[in-house]
Amino acid sequence: ASRSFVTHASTVYSYSIDYTDDAPGNGTLKFGTSANDNSLGNVNLAAEGTFTGTFTATTKAVFITILVTNANRVLKFDNLLIQENN
């Protein structure tokens, strides 16, 4: 699934997401300029835990995509946070 959010070009954003699935390695988190695009960042959710990082927006909107890489799994996420760095 993909969703867009408003950003400011050339601005750095931080993200954090808790991956709580009991079968690691079945998910990917992408940041890009369109749905399912990873031009701004790609995170392989390879193990349970909290994943953090940054990306730099290049347009007025960024898309976040959470992708299930194994069609037979239901992934569990919590506490997604995206914030502009000041």
Side-chain angles (χ1 to χ4, degrees):
S2 295
R3 294 285 185 254
S4 65
F5 55 96
V6 176
T7 57
H8 303 284
S10 302
T11 300
V12 177
Y13 291 82
S14 296
Y15 66 85
S16 175
I17 188 170
D18 294 335
Y19 180 52
T20 60
D21 196 355
D22 58 355
N26 293 304
T28 302
L29 177 68
K30 300 178 181 185
F31 294 96
T33 57
S34 62
N36 205 33
D37 175 41
N38 68 350
S39 61
L40 303 177
N42 190 68
V43 181
N44 179 22
L45 303 173
E48 288 185 324
T50 300
F51 290 79
T52 62
T54 61
F55 64 90
T56 302
T58 57
T59 60
K60 293 181 181 180
V62 167
F63 285 76
I64 181 172
T65 302
I66 298 176
L67 178 67
V68 178
T69 54
N70 180 339
N72 298 320
R73 296 288 309 155
V74 175
L75 302 185
K76 301 170 190 167
F77 302 92
D78 201 3
N79 303 319
L80 173 62
L81 173 66
I82 300 171
Q83 63 186 18
E84 183 177 326
N85 292 358
N86 292 327

